Amino acid sequence: MGTISRRDFMKMSGAIAGMAVLAGCGGGSGSSSSDGGSEGGSIKVGLLGPYSGDVAQYGLAVRNGAELYVKQVNEAGGINGKQIELDTMDEKGDSTEAVNAYNKMVEDGVVAILGDVTSTPSIAVAQQSQNDNMPLVSASTTAAAFVEAGPNVFRACITDPFQGKLMADFAADQGYKNVATIFNSGGDYEVGVADAFVEEAKSKGLTVTTEQGYAAGDVDFNSQLTTILATNPDAIMCPNYYQDDGKIVTQARQQGYTGVFLGADGWSGVLDYASAEDLEGCFYDCSFTANNDDEKVQKFIADYKAEYDADPGNFDALGYDAAIVILNAIETVEKDGKAEYGTDDYKQAIVDAIASGTADGVTGTIKYEGTGDPVKPTLVLTFEGGVEKVFTTVEA
Amino acid sequence: MFDVTFVTQLLNGLQLGSIYALIALGYTMVYGIILLLNFAHGDIIMVGAYISWIVMSQLGMSPVLAIILSVAGCTLLGVLIDKVAYAPLRDAPRLSILITAIGVSYFLENGAQLVFGADAKVVPQYFEMDNLMLGDVQLSSVSLLIIIVTAVSTAVLTYVVNRTKLGKAMRAVSEDMGAARLMGINVNNTISFTFAVGSALAGIGAVLYSMAYTQASPTMGIMLGTKAFVAAVLGGIGSIPGAVIGGLLVGLAETFVSAIGLSVWKDAVVFLMLIIVLVVRPTGILGRPMTEKV
């Protein structure tokens, strides 16, 4: 009594599997029957990113920013009387999932896509998008190969080499003569920024005294720092992620270095990882900071807080701006009224409108000049008594 | 080239090597007495660093209390791990107890990740110290403190092992556990004492590590423990001066490999040293040739 024989068990599992197959079919047929949506007075825009998995934090932040702007536009009456309808899909940080989600969005009839979020899936989607000439705007993908995929691909963020060049120009403007670098020589981001920094510094007539690499996971940087300090640099470029930057700055101060450190946007959050005293007077570049008196930025922060009860970060701001880029372009096309919604002409018109338009975002005014890389102002931040402040805005 | 840079690099190497040496001492003592490679030893450092972080950062209490609690906490944890995980397996095959040690290590790492999260936590500075000027050479006060504390700890340990009754008991148990028991030595207490001393050294190591590298993370003990293990084997596992020499050698090797611009290769160089020692002199620099008792 009460025991289940093997045969019964097999029957039961067969029945369960059968149910699962049926359920799967139902889901498939239901979603493919959706229409273009223009008759319902709406415009469909895809929102693609990782909302679960290892890199979900970035995807969720971009989504929060983008959804906030779309909500604001819809509440203000939409575009040309039509509401924006977001077709949101989770690609879990995986390239295959991302391409599948992209194909699904094409089937659903979206006219533009905001995505993807991280480099590898973004590149896969950008390549796939060449078949459809789908307007594609990523908030955060910095990889060069992404916008090189085709003329329909754009990003809202600045690239790694751009940051390196910017900080080298900044170093020259500050009157530094000798600079050194210390960077994770196994990281694409760190190497990308550091190489561009060195190249630009040399072309500006600065002396790069030494370039010191380290391996991911290292905690002791004393040896490299001693080598650097022996060359008496005016500033040390340290374009790594904030946990490493914190350790490097602390150890350099222990060795008695009193000069300046320069960094890139990986420094965001470094205040938790080194003392206020050690960071005083250092500089790094980034697109967005909450400690910005700019009216537009403060309004964005207030709106974001009201919606999500949290403070926005860099990725939220870039998601918001990528949504502005797309919706501005759609507005231009809708007002123009020449292209019929959902056609290839309509998509081409959006691509043209992005390429020639200007988007007034919270990370600055975004323009494109012949490539998918934005031309936008960048902030250089500094630390004063443990608080981040905007030191200067470098105009594009 | 006895220039300023060389002196500073030497100091860097001794600082790193001192921390490895303190941890290697714990490895070597436990191995010496029960022939166990205590793979959880590196993770005890991690717990010690987190204790300092909790006491200073979360509870806002004094650095002195943080140091005391870190060392005491590590000592208790070491003894507890022995009592709970290793003591019941005293007569089991050595492989079982080795695997248990790996299990304890995973337990501590994942437990810390569960409790504190995967992000690194910053341990505040214990003291404000000015650097020492020696001519034009600026000597890092943190490095000097670490080297001095390690030297004093090693001296105290050597005294305890060679000159006290408990030390004599430790040496006796390490020589022959059965015979020691027959001579009236309380073997279990002696083993517990060994774990306590080894873990207290790990606690001191945790404080010194936090002073120099200021961050505690759940996985920080893995590489630290591995390097210290290499140091212990290099010096001759079971030998106290050997552990110190091994630790300093590993620290100096890492520093000077980085100094000549090959920082990415420094781990490879350390492990290459291990391989060479195992091939050329398997008992390590100061290890006694041992014949396996059957």
Side-chain angles (χ1 to χ4, degrees), chain B residues 2-286:
Chain B
F2 259 81
D3 58 358
V4 177
T5 313
F6 181 79
V7 174
T8 316
Q9 292 291 23
L10 195 66
L11 204 63
N12 292 338
L14 290 176
Q15 169 191 326
L16 187 60
S18 294
I19 290 173
Y20 289 150
L22 275 179
I23 307 166
L25 282 170
Y27 263 112
T28 229
M29 287 174 66
V30 167
Y31 184 84
I33 201 152
I34 53 170
L35 298 179
L36 162 70
L37 294 173
N38 184 11
F39 280 116
H41 193 61
D43 300 302
I44 293 179
I45 316 268
M46 178 268 294
V47 175
Y50 271 109
I51 294 175
S52 273
W53 171 73
I54 293 171
V55 173
M56 288 194 287
S57 231
Q58 302 303 106
L59 305 176
M61 292 198 271
S62 85
V64 177
L65 196 68
I67 294 172
I68 294 170
L69 287 179
S70 285
V71 177
C74 285
T75 310
L76 280 177
L77 181 66
V79 175
L80 190 74
I81 289 173
D82 174 50
K83 289 284 178 218
V84 173
Y86 306 149
L89 295 170
R90 210 69 91 201
D91 300 318
R94 270 164 62 192
L95 190 62
S96 314
I97 191 164
L98 185 74
I99 291 167
T100 309
I102 296 173
V104 171
S105 167
Y106 278 128
F107 173 77
L108 291 176
E109 283 156 24
N110 291 298
Q113 190 161 339
L114 197 67
V115 176
F116 303 115
D119 264 9
K121 304 283 187 234
V122 170
V123 183
Q125 292 293 296
Y126 297 86
F127 311 110
E128 290 288 334
M129 291 177 296
D130 286 331
N131 284 354
L132 234 66
M133 294 302 293
L134 206 77
D136 357 324
V137 192
Q138 184 162 189
L139 301 177
S140 159
S141 53
V142 173
S143 303
L144 291 175
L145 186 74
I146 289 173
I147 295 164
I148 293 168
V149 170
T150 303
V152 171
S153 306
T154 312
V156 170
L157 178 71
T158 311
Y159 177 82
V160 168
V161 171
N162 290 328
R163 299 291 155 112
T164 64
K165 222 172 168 185
L166 266 169
K168 208 174 199 176
M170 279 165 68
R171 282 181 289 140
V173 172
S174 135
E175 201 75 34
D176 189 325
M177 204 184 279
R181 193 176 279 129
L182 290 174
M183 296 299 116
I185 293 171
N186 186 332
V187 170
N188 265 331
N189 280 359
T190 309
I191 293 172
S192 287
F193 178 71
T194 309
F195 269 94
V197 174
S199 306
L201 291 172
I204 297 171
V207 171
L208 296 181
Y209 178 95
S210 307
M211 236 175 235
Y213 307 118
T214 61
Q215 290 182 18
S217 71
T219 50
M220 64 184 260
I222 300 175
M223 205 39 157
L224 207 53
T226 313
K227 294 280 175 60
F229 170 67
V230 172
V233 174
L234 206 60
I237 195 147
S239 155
I240 286 173
V244 176
I245 290 171
L248 294 179
L249 274 180
V250 171
L252 287 169
E254 283 194 10
T255 302
F256 281 101
V257 167
S258 297
I260 56 170
L262 299 175
S263 55
V264 179
W265 289 92
K266 72 178 167 37
D267 291 349
V269 169
V270 169
F271 294 125
L272 189 68
M273 281 164 65
L274 176 69
I275 293 169
I276 292 172
V277 165
L278 287 178
V279 170
V280 177
R281 197 180 153 87
T283 51
I285 298 168
L286 294 182

Side-chain angles (χ1 to χ4, degrees), chain A residues 70-103:
Chain A
V70 169
K71 189 177 171 218
Q72 287 171 346
V73 168
N74 281 341
E75 279 173 359
I79 294 173
N80 203 12
K82 297 175 182 173
Q83 290 284 299
I84 307 298
E85 192 187 321
L86 282 176
D87 187 7
T88 308
M89 288 198 192
D90 179 11
E91 45 84 328
K92 305 179 183 74
D94 181 81
S95 295
T96 311
E97 295 258 10
V99 170
N100 288 343
Y102 169 82
N103 290 335

Side-chain angles (χ1 to χ4, degrees), chain A residues 26 188 292 330:
Chain A
D188 289 342
N292 189 340
I330 292 176

Side-chain angles (χ1 to χ4, degrees), chain A residues 258-269:
Chain A
T258 51
V260 166
F261 273 98
L262 305 173
D265 61 2
W267 272 53
S268 227

Side-chain angles (χ1 to χ4, degrees), chain A residues 14-358:
Chain A
I16 291 166
M19 271 149 56
V21 169
L22 286 174
C25 289
S29 61
S31 55
S32 63
S33 65
S34 56
D35 62 349
S38 69
E39 261 119 339
S42 71
I43 296 169
K44 264 197 177 173
V45 175
L47 181 56
L48 176 65
Y51 309 126
S52 59
D54 290 342
V55 288
Q57 50 170 325
Y58 304 117
L60 292 169
V62 168
R63 190 175 79 181
N64 280 349
E67 284 178 343
L68 177 63
Y69 185 68
V70 169
K71 189 177 171 218
Q72 287 171 346
V73 168
N74 281 341
E75 279 173 359
I79 294 173
N80 203 12
K82 297 175 182 173
Q83 290 284 299
I84 307 298
E85 192 187 321
L86 282 176
D87 187 7
T88 308
M89 288 198 192
D90 179 11
E91 45 84 328
K92 305 179 183 74
D94 181 81
S95 295
T96 311
E97 295 258 10
V99 170
N100 288 343
Y102 169 82
N103 290 335
K104 181 74 181 18
M105 285 178 177
V106 173
E107 260 179 50
D108 289 353
V110 302
V111 294
I113 294 175
L114 197 165
D116 200 337
V117 171
T118 57
S119 291
T120 313
S122 292
I123 293 167
V125 169
Q127 283 161 355
Q128 185 72 17
S129 76
Q130 298 311 302
N131 303 334
D132 314 290
N133 194 32
M134 176 67 75
L136 194 64
V137 180
S138 169
S140 56
T141 301
T142 56
F146 176 64
V147 295
E148 283 163 8
N152 60 322
V153 184
F154 302 88
R155 62 176 133 230
C157 59
I158 49 179
T159 63
D160 307 343
F162 179 84
Q163 295 190 58
K165 185 173 173 295
L166 181 112
M167 288 313 287
D169 292 341
F170 176 79
D173 288 346
Q174 291 294 302
Y176 303 140
K177 297 274 177 289
N178 300 305
V179 289
T181 58
I182 178 166
F183 59 98
N184 174 3
S185 48
D188 289 342
Y189 165 74
E190 294 92 330
V191 172
V193 182
D195 283 355
F197 176 86
V198 168
E199 195 185 319
E200 179 72 4
K202 283 181 180 160
S203 79
K204 285 264 170 179
L206 275 68
T207 308
V208 179
T209 57
T210 177
E211 296 172 51
Q212 292 288 313
Y214 66 87
D218 279 1
V219 293
D220 185 295
F221 306 99
N222 281 318
S223 184
Q224 288 95 326
L225 287 167
T226 297
T227 309
I228 289 175
L229 298 190
T231 66
N232 278 319
D234 302 317
I236 302 173
M237 177 64 171
C238 175
N240 308 294
Y241 287 106
Y242 53 88
Q243 293 192 357
D244 286 356
D245 297 325
K247 283 182 218 163
I248 291 168
V249 171
T250 308
Q251 287 172 31
R253 299 300 186 216
Q254 283 177 357
Q255 287 200 21
Y257 176 63
T258 51
V260 166
F261 273 98
L262 305 173
D265 61 2
W267 272 53
S268 227
V270 76
L271 264 172
D272 294 335
Y273 290 90
S275 73
E277 209 179 2
D278 289 349
L279 288 171
E280 187 78 18
C282 293
F283 299 103
Y284 77 93
D285 78 87
C286 76
S287 302
F288 177 80
T289 173
N291 296 324
N292 189 340
D293 298 333
D294 186 274
E295 218 172 279
K296 211 166 37 186
V297 173
Q298 288 306 325
K299 183 179 177 306
F300 166 66
I301 293 168
D303 291 346
Y304 189 96
K305 264 191 182 155
E307 183 74 21
Y308 302 110
D309 196 24
D311 287 318
N314 197 25
F315 282 83
D316 306 87
L318 288 169
Y320 190 82
D321 281 4
I324 297 179
V325 169
I326 291 180
L327 298 197
N328 271 8
I330 292 176
E331 190 176 8
T332 308
V333 174
E334 284 283 330
K335 277 193 177 146
D336 194 36
K338 281 182 194 150
E340 192 191 332
Y341 177 85
T343 61
D344 287 347
D345 286 346
Y346 192 86
K347 285 178 196 157
Q348 183 57 47
I350 293 177
V351 170
D352 293 341
I354 294 174
S356 61
T358 303

